[in-house]
Structure formats: C-alpha cells, structure tokens
Amino acid sequence: MATEGQPRAQARTPLLLSRLEGSQELVTMAVIIPKEDGVISVSEDRTVRVWLKRDSGQYWPSVYQSMPAPCTCMCFNPETRRLSVGMDNGVEFILSEDYNKMTPAQTYQAHHARVTVVLFVLEMEWLLSTAQDKLLSWHCTESGHLQGTYRMAAWVSGLEFDVETRHVFVGDQSGQVTVLKLEQGVCTLVTTFRGHTGSVTALCWDPVQRVLFSGSSDHSIIMWDIGGRKGTAIELQGHSDKVQGLCYAPHTRQLISCGSDGRIVVWNMDVNRQETPEWLDSDLCQKCEQPFFWNFKQMWDSKKIGLRQHHCRRCGKAVCGKCSSKRSSIPLMGFEFPVRVCDRCNDSITDQDIHILYFHPGKLYF
C-alpha cells in the first residue's frame, strides 16, 4: 500500500493564555498550583518564583526567592504546601495559605553533584532525590534524616514511585530503567529494563493500570506493562527529536508527551496496541535470500555483491533495501511516522487500519 494520500493526524492550535516573563536564564521547571490561579517556577538564574494571577488578568510574582545556586528541579505538594528545590543539595520550603510567603523548612545534604530529580511521597513522608553523583537518596520529610542511598550505574534523569508496593522506578543516562524496592533504610534491586538506544529523559507511572512510560533521547516512548506480568513493551514513535517530558491523565487514559521538536502529542492509551517485534538476525535477506555484505562465503559462492541489512518494523524480519522499499505508518504499533516495512507487510496494511487509529483513538497534535 502506498503511503501517498494517507490521512494525517488532526491538528489543533493552542490558545495562549498568558506569558510569565522575568527569568534571566533557562526555566528548568514550572508547575501549576491546583485550585489556584498560580504557577511556581525555578530557574538557572538562581530564583524561585510564585506567580499569582491579579485582577488585571496578568501574572505577577508574589514570591521572589534567591537561591545560592542554579535551580535544577523541584516538586510541590499542594496538600502540605511543601516545595522542595534541587540544586547541589535539596532545600524545602513551606508556602503560606495565600501563597505570598515562603519559609525555609529543611535542608537535605544528600548529594555532591547537581540534583536532577526530587519527588515527594506524602504517604511515606519521604523525599526522594537523585543527582549526577549517581546516588538515589531518600529522606524523612518530618525529621530531615537520611533513610538510605543506592548507587546507580549512571546518573539518573527520571524517577517515579509506587506507593502500594514501595517500588521506585529509576531511568538513567545509559538508557536503562531500574526497579528498586524501598524499605526503611533498605533498598533491594528487583529488575532492570532496557529498550532504549538513548538516555532515558522522562518517566511516568500509572498506578491504576500499573503501566510505566519511559521517554528517551532516541525520540521514542516505551510503555512497560508492569502489572500484566507478561513482559509486554509497546513502542510509541511520535517525535522527531528527544522526548523531554511525559504526563499521564488516568481519567481519560491519555498520555501527553512533549519533545525538543516543539511538538506536544496526546496518545489515547485506551486501545489495544501491538507489541513491536524483536529484530531477527540473519546472514541472508529473509525475503529474497540475497547475502548481506558480511556473508563472504555466500557472496563468493553466488558471485554476488553483499547487500546492506534492514529490518521491517512490522514483522521484524531482516531484509534488504529492495525488499523493504515501502514506508508506512503503523499506529497500532505506535509508529505515527512512516517507517520501513517489507513489501508483504505493506500490502497487508489497509487504509481502514490507519483511518481508525488516526481519527478515532489515535493521537492529536496540539
């Protein structure tokens, strides 16, 4: 099936509500204050700002807090109004009820390098943090005492926690996702996942369906079915550059991803998707049986020049360029862009398959 004339994903133009300007350098993170017309932002210009919407409709800083070092990350708990800011260590503040005052509460001396992720666990009264020193640390938020540490193989760029099982999911720069079991002062390695060819840049956990999403610098997103206990991993391809962030809306079962390509993608996860196949190894094209360029014996015996190996994204077979000259999107497998498929798989993909996935439960570009 030719790719010409395929329907495209629906596009929507976002409506700009307001600009929050004032930071002199990169804004590393911003969060909306629930049930308030407010935003909290941290920046590499060493400031923490709490923005509240005024009667004029504009946002103005109600709190401007200077920090001793560039702010790399933060987490905010709206129930306790606790704000933790990561730098070379962690500093915790308590915000007043009217969000016009910020009082220092704790300083966590946990790391010796730039903090990359901080995460509140209200139910456990824990604060989890990771840094470029490759350490995962967790503190008691009441006493400020260190509960334990765990050294990773690479520095961490993604962190999620499951309260029910006390499992922590850690994504690192090597592309690996590590699952750890946290107890009081004890950390146990459970398992590791590896599916990305680039560093893990974002993690997102759905505690209801028990599914973990990981985004990567390899432009892909992988859905790991933890609760299904079948080892299923679904690949989603909707970005042309590094995936920067992930957010999951459990009430609509939609995954929202944003990337360095400037695109925000909304994925409907309430559909039955197919697991991407493993790529098969072969010395010959599994369609025409022509030798690949490293198969010297077969090249000599057949007096033919070796060909470059490719793989069909739908069946996983090793094929040559001639037998995989077609391109097609495969939304059911998460490939929203046209990818390489063998001729046989291309002929089996119908317009109806693409139409259904794109326009009913497929993704939307905002």
Side-chain angles (χ1 to χ4, degrees), residues 235 273-274 312-315 328-341 345 349 354 357-358:
E235 186 175 351
R273 296 181 181 270
Q274 295 178 3
C312 173
R313 299 313 193 264
R314 192 168 188 264
C315 67
S328 177
S329 56
I330 318 174
L332 192 60
M333 286 181 152
F335 295 112
E336 303 292 347
F337 295 139
V339 292
R340 182 184 297 272
V341 292
C345 286
I349 299 174
I354 296 177
L357 266 297
Y358 264 105

Side-chain angles (χ1 to χ4, degrees), residues 10 32 44 90 126 131 157 200 352:
Q10 298 178 32
I32 295 174
E44 289 189 349
W126 283 352
S157 46
V200 175
Q352 184 179 7

Side-chain angles (χ1 to χ4, degrees), residues 130-313:
T130 61
Q132 292 182 357
D133 59 8
K134 303 179 184 179
L135 279 181
L136 165 67
S137 302
W138 64 104
H139 287 75
C140 174
T141 57
E142 290 299 313
S143 66
H145 294 160
L146 179 66
Q147 300 295 300
T149 62
Y150 187 89
R151 181 166 292 278
M152 309 298 297
W155 66 270
V156 176
S157 46
L159 189 65
E160 285 289 326
F161 186 80
D162 181 58
V163 175
E164 181 181 342
T165 62
R166 298 189 182 183
H167 285 147
V168 60
F169 306 98
V170 185
D172 62 39
Q173 289 292 297
S174 72
Q176 180 172 284
V177 177
T178 303
V179 183
L180 304 169
K181 175 84 169 183
L182 291 191
E183 299 291 350
Q184 204 76 15
V186 180
C187 182
T188 307
L189 176 64
V190 177
T191 188
T192 58
F193 306 138
R194 182 172 288 277
H196 292 291
T197 58
S199 60
V200 175
T201 53
L203 289 181
C204 189
W205 171 245
D206 174 14
V208 178
Q209 301 295 326
R210 310 201 66 75
V211 169
L212 179 71
F213 300 96
S214 61
S216 172
S217 60
D218 64 9
H219 311 172
S220 72
I221 301 166
I222 296 180
M223 182 186 77
W224 309 89
D225 186 3
I226 308 295
R229 299 184 180 275
K230 296 181 180 179
T232 304
I234 306 295
E235 186 175 351
L236 305 174
Q237 293 280 359
H239 291 279
S240 58
D241 206 336
K242 177 172 67 174
V243 178
Q244 293 277 35
L246 296 172
C247 183
Y248 187 73
H251 57 292
T252 58
R253 294 202 63 189
Q254 289 179 318
L255 175 71
I256 305 168
S257 63
C258 61
S260 296
D261 54 7
R263 180 179 288 119
I264 298 175
V265 184
V266 181
W267 307 84
N268 187 348
M269 304 311 300
D270 196 21
V271 294
N272 293 321
R273 296 181 181 270
Q274 295 178 3
E275 186 174 14
T276 50
E278 293 186 9
W279 286 4
L280 303 178
D281 294 325
S282 178
D283 293 330
L284 304 173
C285 173
Q286 295 183 302
K287 298 297 181 180
C288 67
E289 299 187 348
Q290 293 294 312
F292 293 128
F293 64 84
W294 60 82
N295 190 349
F296 297 112
K297 184 179 184 303
Q298 186 66 25
M299 289 166 56
W300 178 265
D301 292 343
S302 62
K303 301 297 188 294
K304 293 181 179 179
I305 298 176
L307 304 176
R308 181 182 174 186
Q309 184 189 69
H310 302 280
H311 284 90
C312 173
R313 299 313 193 264

Side-chain angles (χ1 to χ4, degrees), residues 77-101:
N77 189 307
E79 295 184 31
T80 61
R81 299 190 306 281
R82 289 189 176 187
L83 173 69
S84 184
V85 181
M87 298 172 292
D88 293 334
N89 53 34
V91 179
E92 187 175 286
F93 298 91
I94 303 294
L95 292 170
S96 60
E97 290 187 15
D98 59 4
Y99 292 97
N100 283 306
K101 184 179 180 181

Side-chain angles (χ1 to χ4, degrees), residues 47-105:
T47 63
V48 179
R49 290 176 168 89
V50 180
W51 309 78
L52 295 181
K53 192 174 183 180
R54 306 304 183 184
D55 293 337
S56 63
Q58 299 297 313
Y59 285 84
W60 293 94
S62 63
V63 174
Y64 180 98
Q65 178 72 42
S66 296
M67 305 296 288
C71 304
T72 57
C73 56
M74 69 168 167
C75 62
F76 175 64
N77 189 307
E79 295 184 31
T80 61
R81 299 190 306 281
R82 289 189 176 187
L83 173 69
S84 184
V85 181
M87 298 172 292
D88 293 334
N89 53 34
V91 179
E92 187 175 286
F93 298 91
I94 303 294
L95 292 170
S96 60
E97 290 187 15
D98 59 4
Y99 292 97
N100 283 306
K101 184 179 180 181
M102 195 162 69
T103 306

